[in-house]
């Protein structure tokens, strides 16, 4: 499954001292009809540390393996 996400600038994590980001939207770019907005599957206030973490989170929510999830950041 291919997803496109829009990043919203986050903060610096007090635990890891690394930059984080929130996700504004997640869209299934391979939906049969119009692009399917799946933003409701994630917590918009969660601070992700990497796209990899988002990929694992989506896989868990969809009940599929992380290897089946492809992510692309929207321009």
């Amino acid at each position: 499954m291919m997803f496109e996400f829009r990043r919203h600038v986050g903060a610096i994590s007090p635990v890891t001292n690394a930059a984080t980001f929130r996700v504004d939207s997640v869209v299934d770019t391979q939906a049969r009809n119009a692009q399917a907005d799946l933003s409701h599957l994630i917590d918009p206030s969660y601070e992700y540390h990497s796209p990899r973490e988002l990929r694992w989170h989506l896989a868990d929510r969809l009940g599929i393996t992380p290897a089946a999830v492809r992510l692309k950041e929207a321009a």
Side-chain angles (χ1 to χ4, degrees):
M1 299 183 84
M2 182 64 169
F3 300 95
E4 184 174 277
F5 72 98
R6 290 199 182 277
R7 184 186 298 238
H8 179 79
V9 177
I12 300 296
S13 169
V15 177
T16 63
N17 201 30
T20 62
F21 65 93
R22 293 181 183 184
V23 175
D24 281 337
S25 65
V26 176
V27 176
D28 179 353
T29 60
Q30 294 179 331
R32 287 185 208 166
N33 301 334
Q35 293 181 342
D37 184 0
L38 300 176
S39 301
H40 63 280
L41 294 178
I42 61 169
D43 178 359
S45 67
Y46 184 80
E47 299 282 342
Y48 288 94
H49 288 84
S50 68
R52 180 179 178 224
E53 183 181 14
L54 174 58
R55 183 171 60 99
W56 280 76
H57 190 118
L58 283 171
D60 181 61
R61 291 292 188 153
L62 296 169
I64 59 178
T65 65
V69 175
R70 302 273 187 260
L71 279 179
K72 179 176 86 170
E73 188 168 355

